[in-house]
Amino acid sequence: MTETTLINKVYDIAKCYDPDVDDSTSFQDIVQLLELMKTKALKYEILESAFKKPEPQLPRIHQCDI
């Protein structure tokens, strides 16, 4: 992957998240936007895991020796 391809992909990702991003948006603004996206994704992941139902567990049946 070339440097230009990487930059174009990063801008495409940023444009999908924020439609106001265009070719005049600075690299610093793009990096801040990517950091915001990462932070929100981590918060969503934490929130999602808090509401997940636990996997159902089968009851354990103990057998007694008679």
Side-chain angles (χ1 to χ4, degrees):
M1 177 180 292
T2 65
E3 204 173 287
T4 305
T5 306
L6 174 64
I7 291 170
N8 288 337
K9 286 191 181 283
V10 169
Y11 268 89
D12 287 342
I13 292 168
K15 284 179 189 176
C16 289
Y17 185 78
D18 183 0
D20 293 334
V21 170
D22 59 12
D23 292 337
S24 65
T25 306
S26 71
F27 290 131
Q28 288 177 332
D29 290 338
I30 294 293
V31 169
Q32 287 176 347
L33 184 61
L34 292 175
E35 287 174 348
L36 176 66
M37 291 168 63
K38 179 191 77 164
T39 301
K40 286 187 175 187
L42 290 173
K43 287 179 182 178
Y44 179 78
E45 188 176 322
I46 291 169
L47 186 63
E48 183 183 41
S49 67
F51 286 99
K52 277 187 179 175
K53 294 181 182 179
E55 292 291 322
Q57 298 291 324
L58 294 175
R60 293 184 182 186
I61 300 173
H62 297 282
Q63 294 182 0
C64 299
D65 293 331
I66 299 181

